[in-house]
């Protein structure tokens, strides 16, 4: 019990010294309530026939395939996010996606790897623990996120 209390106290003291960085003008929501996209979002999908790493930039997506990279512009979709150049299409909604490439259609499902996602965001150090569950991410000279 004393050991658990000591660990909890140390964790509280560590996190008490952290504070959220001030929000800059370009990070504040606009009058429409929508924040401008700051950094690309990277996600990995397991598709029939392999893994596709997707990098979402507000107006386009880049698909990293085993043999090449393909960039597709964002197009209007009734639901989900759809990117297409008229020949190739990547359409995702939630954890699932559909990839049409080289005349073949493949169904895809997102692959979650919190360690890789942290690396993609530029995190240099990531720690996790249990009882109670916690995690800590540090990126060199930028921020500490509890």
């Amino acid at each position: 019990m004393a050991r658990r209390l000591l660990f909890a106290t140390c964790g509280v003291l560590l996190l008490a010294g952290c504070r959220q960085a001030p929000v800059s003008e370009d990070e504040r929501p606009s009058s429409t309530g929508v924040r401008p996209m700051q950094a690309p979002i990277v996600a990995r999908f397991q598709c029939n026939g392999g893994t596709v790493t997707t990098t979402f930039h507000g107006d386009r997506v880049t698909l990293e395939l085993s043999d090449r990279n393909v960039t597709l512009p964002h197009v209007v979709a009734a639901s989900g996010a759809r990117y297409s150049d008229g020949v190739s299409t990547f359409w995702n909604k939630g954890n699932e996606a559909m990839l049409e490439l080289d005349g073949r259609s493949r169904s895809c499902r997102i692959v979650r790897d919190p360690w890789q996602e942290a690396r993609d965001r530029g995190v240099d150090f990531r720690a996790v623990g249990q009882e109670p569950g916690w995690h800590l991410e540090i990126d060199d000279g930028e921020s500490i996120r509890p």
Side-chain angles (χ1 to χ4, degrees):
M1 178 68 173
R3 186 175 172 180
R4 189 177 284 176
L5 180 61
L6 176 64
F7 179 74
T9 303
C10 290
V12 168
L13 290 174
L14 173 68
L15 295 178
C18 303
R19 65 179 180 86
Q20 187 173 359
V23 177
S24 69
E25 272 304 310
D26 33 320
E27 292 176 339
R28 289 195 177 117
S30 68
S31 60
T32 62
V34 177
R35 257 182 216 211
M37 183 176 278
Q38 296 298 317
I41 298 171
V42 178
R44 286 170 184 73
F45 288 85
Q46 181 65 43
C47 302
N48 304 355
T51 302
V52 177
T53 300
T54 58
T55 305
F56 296 92
H57 311 267
D59 61 343
R60 67 191 185 289
V61 67
T62 300
L63 308 174
E64 294 177 38
L65 307 161
S66 59
D67 59 342
R68 65 183 178 225
N69 290 352
V70 176
T71 299
L72 301 172
H74 184 260
V75 295
V76 176
S79 65
R82 186 171 177 226
Y83 302 84
S84 180
D85 62 3
V87 177
S88 301
T89 300
F90 182 80
W91 194 348
N92 83 292
K93 182 175 180 182
N95 293 332
E96 299 190 11
M98 190 261 314
L99 173 63
E100 291 179 1
L101 192 63
D102 301 328
R104 290 182 42 210
S105 181
R106 305 170 200 174
S107 60
C108 307
R109 186 143 184 86
I110 199 161
V111 178
R112 296 267 183 221
D113 179 356
W115 298 95
Q116 183 61 49
E117 291 172 5
R119 280 190 293 275
D120 293 340
R121 289 191 314 273
V123 170
D124 296 307
F125 177 82
R126 184 171 199 274
V128 296
Q130 297 179 359
E131 297 184 26
W134 60 272
H135 74 275
L136 174 70
E137 294 181 345
I138 301 172
D139 49 273
D140 188 28
E142 296 294 322
S143 64
I144 298 175
R145 292 177 293 277

